[in-house]
C-alpha cells in the first residue's frame, strides 16, 4: 500500500489540506476505525497484501473490488469475487458511490463519505489610529445638553426591549427563548426521528424476509450473512440476534448429523456412504477452510483413500 493511492488516518483524524476529500471509513472487523482517504484514480480492495486497501476478512477475495474515479465521481466495481459486493442492502456489480453509502465486502463494512476541509484565513491586524495631539483635543467642544438627553432616552428604550414578552420563557441561564419556535423545532426533530426509524424498520423487514427464506431452504451461510447485515444496520436488534443464533444452531446440528452418519458408516465398512457424508461437510464449509470440522473431514477422506488403495486426492468433493 502506498501513500500515493490511499492515506490512512484514525477515525476522527482528517487531512490538513483544504478542499474536498473522499473517505472510506471502516466500521467492522480488525480494521475498524481506520479512515482510508482516496487520493488516486484507481483503488484495489481485497485480501491480498498487494491490494491498496487490504481486508483481513476470509470472505473477501484476493482482489475483490476496485474503486475508480470518473468525472469527479467514485465508482465501485466487483472484480468477479466469489461473495460479491453490497451497497447499503443491495447486491451490485457496479455502483456510483454517494455520500453516506455503506459498502459491504464479506463481513467488512465501509462507509463512503466526503470530508470538506475549509481554508483558514488569517485576518491582518488593522493599524491603530494615530493618537490625536493635544491641539486637536483642545479644539473639541462640550456636547450640547440635548445630545446627552437623547442618549439617555435611547438607553431607556433599549432596556425596555429586553423585558421578556408573554410568549417568551426564561431559561436557567437567564436568557429567553420563544416557545413557539422551540415547539416547532422539537416537533420537526420528532418527525425526523420517526421517519428514520420507519425507514430502518422497512429495510430490516426486507432483510429478515430474505434471511428466513434462505433458512427454510437450509442455505444457512446465506441466512447468516443476511442477519449479520441486519446487525450492522441495527447493532442491538434483538430479532436479528435471535435469528442469527437460531441459524448458527441449525448449521451446527446439520454438520453434526453428517459427522455421526460418516462415523457410523465407516465403522460398518460402508465406505461409499461415509465418503458421501464427509464430502457433504467439505462442500458445506469449503469457503471456511480454517473451520476445524472442515479440516477433520479432509483428514478422514485422506485416511479412506489410503484404506481403499486410492490415489492421493482421488476423492473430489468440490468441483473445480
Amino acid at each position: 500500500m502506498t501513500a500515493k493511492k490511499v492515506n490512512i488516518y484514525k477515525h476522527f483524524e482528517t487531512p490538513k489540506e483544504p478542499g474536498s476529500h473522499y473517505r472510506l471509513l471502516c466500521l467492522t472487523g480488525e480494521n475498524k476505525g481506520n479512515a482510508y482517504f482516496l487520493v488516486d484514480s484507481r483503488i484495489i480492495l481485497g485480501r491480498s497484501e498487494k491490494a491498496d486497501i487490504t481486508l483481513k476478512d476470509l470472505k473477501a477475495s484476493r482482489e475483490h473490488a476496485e474503486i475508480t474515479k470518473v468525472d469527479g465521481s467514485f465508482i465501485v466495481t466487483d472484480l468477479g469475487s466469489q461473495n460479491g459486493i453490497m451497497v447499503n442492502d443491495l447486491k451490485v456489480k457496479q455502483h456510483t458511490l454517494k455520500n453516506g453509502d455503506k459498502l459491504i465486502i464479506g463481513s467488512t463494512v465501509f462507509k463512503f463519505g466526503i470530508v470538506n476541509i475549509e481554508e483558514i484565513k488569517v485576518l491582518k491586524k488593522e493599524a491603530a489610529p494615530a493618537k490625536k495631539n493635544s491641539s486637536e483635543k483642545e479644539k473639541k467642544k462640550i456636547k450640547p445638553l440635548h445630545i446627552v438627553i437623547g442618549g439617555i432616552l435611547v438607553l431607556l428604550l433599549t432596556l425596555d426591549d429586553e423585558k421578556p414578552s408573554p410568549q417568551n420563557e426564561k431559561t436557567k441561564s437567564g436568557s429567553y427563548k420563544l416557545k413557539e419556535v422551540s415547539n416547532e423545532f422539537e416537533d420537526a426533530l420528532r418527525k425526523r426521528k420517526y421517519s428514520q426509524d420507519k425507514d430502518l424498520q422497512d429495510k430490516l423487514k426486507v432483510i429478515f424476509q430474505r434471511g428466513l427464506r434462505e433458512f427454510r431452504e437450509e442455505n444457512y451461510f446465506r441466512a447468516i450473512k443476511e442477519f449479520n447485515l441486519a446487525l450492522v444496520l441495527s447493532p442491538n436488534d434483538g430479532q436479528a440476534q435471535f435469528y442469527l443464533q437460531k441459524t448458527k444452531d441449525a448449521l451446527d446440528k446439520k454438520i453434526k448429523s453428517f459427522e455421526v452418519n460418516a462415523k457410523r458408516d465407516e465403522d460398518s465398512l460402508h465406505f461409499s456412504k461415509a465418503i458421501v457424508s464427509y464430502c457433504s461437510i467439505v462442500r458445506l464449509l469449503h469457503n471456511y477452510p480454517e473451520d476445524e470440522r472442515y479440516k477433520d473431514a479432509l483428514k478422514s477422506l485422506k485416511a479412506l483413500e489410503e484404506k481403499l488403495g486410492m490415489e492421493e486426492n482421488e476423492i473430489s468433493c468440490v468441483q473445480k
Side-chain angles (χ1 to χ4, degrees), residues 211 214-227 246-252 254-255 284:
E214 299 292 357
F215 178 85
R216 287 191 296 270
E217 294 175 2
E218 296 188 359
N219 297 324
Y220 296 125
F221 285 107
R222 292 181 182 177
I224 288 172
K225 184 177 180 181
E226 295 294 342
F227 299 139
K246 184 177 180 180
T247 306
K248 288 181 177 179
D249 292 342
L251 175 62
D252 291 342
K254 185 172 184 178
I255 294 174
L284 202 57

Side-chain angles (χ1 to χ4, degrees), residues 161-183:
D161 287 341
E162 290 181 354
K163 292 180 181 179
S165 65
Q167 294 179 346
N168 293 356
E169 177 185 355
K170 191 172 183 180
T171 63
K172 292 181 180 180
S173 62
S175 60
Y176 298 92
K177 64 178 181 179
L178 290 174
K179 288 184 178 180
E180 294 180 1
V181 174
S182 176
N183 291 339

Side-chain angles (χ1 to χ4, degrees), residues 195-309:
S195 177
Q196 291 175 340
D197 290 345
K198 187 177 184 302
D199 183 54
L200 176 60
Q201 292 303 318
D202 290 342
K203 288 183 179 180
L204 289 176
K205 184 178 179 181
V206 173
I207 294 172
F208 288 152
Q209 288 175 346
R210 290 201 302 257
L212 290 173
R213 181 176 65 249
E214 299 292 357
F215 178 85
R216 287 191 296 270
E217 294 175 2
E218 296 188 359
N219 297 324
Y220 296 125
F221 285 107
R222 292 181 182 177
I224 288 172
K225 184 177 180 181
E226 295 294 342
F227 299 139
N228 275 327
L229 175 60
L231 287 173
V232 169
L233 297 177
S234 181
N236 297 320
D237 191 275
Q239 193 172 8
Q241 292 173 347
F242 171 77
Y243 287 151
L244 179 61
Q245 188 58 50
K246 184 177 180 180
T247 306
K248 288 181 177 179
D249 292 342
L251 175 62
D252 291 342
K253 185 177 180 180
K254 185 172 184 178
I255 294 174
K256 186 65 178 178
S257 68
F258 284 136
E259 290 176 338
V260 171
N261 291 338
K263 293 292 184 185
R264 182 194 60 208
D265 291 332
E266 190 174 355
D267 293 340
S268 302
L269 304 182
H270 297 150
F271 298 124
S272 59
K273 291 183 178 180
I275 291 172
V276 171
S277 295
Y278 285 129
C279 276
S280 296
I281 298 173
V282 171
R283 283 192 294 269
L284 202 57
L285 298 173
H286 77 278
N287 287 327
Y288 305 89
E290 299 303 318
D291 194 300
E292 291 299 325
R293 296 170 295 186
Y294 175 83
K295 295 177 181 179
D296 291 341
L298 288 180
K299 289 178 182 178
S300 298
L301 287 170
K302 187 174 182 180
L304 284 174
E305 285 178 340
E306 294 176 357
K307 186 179 292 186
L308 297 174

Side-chain angles (χ1 to χ4, degrees), residues 2 21 50 61-62 66 70 72 77 90 93 111 120 127 157 166 173 176 187 217 233 256 264 280 286-287:
T2 63
H21 300 268
K50 295 182 180 179
S61 300
R62 292 184 61 79
E66 70 172 2
V70 180
T77 305
L90 296 175
K93 288 291 184 183
K111 184 176 181 180
I120 300 175
L157 289 172
S173 62
Y176 298 92
D187 289 342
E217 294 175 2
L233 297 177
K256 186 65 178 178
R264 182 194 60 208
S280 296
H286 77 278
N287 287 327

Side-chain angles (χ1 to χ4, degrees), residues 84 95 137 155 172 306:
H95 177 82
K137 290 182 180 178
L155 179 62
K172 292 181 180 180
E306 294 176 357

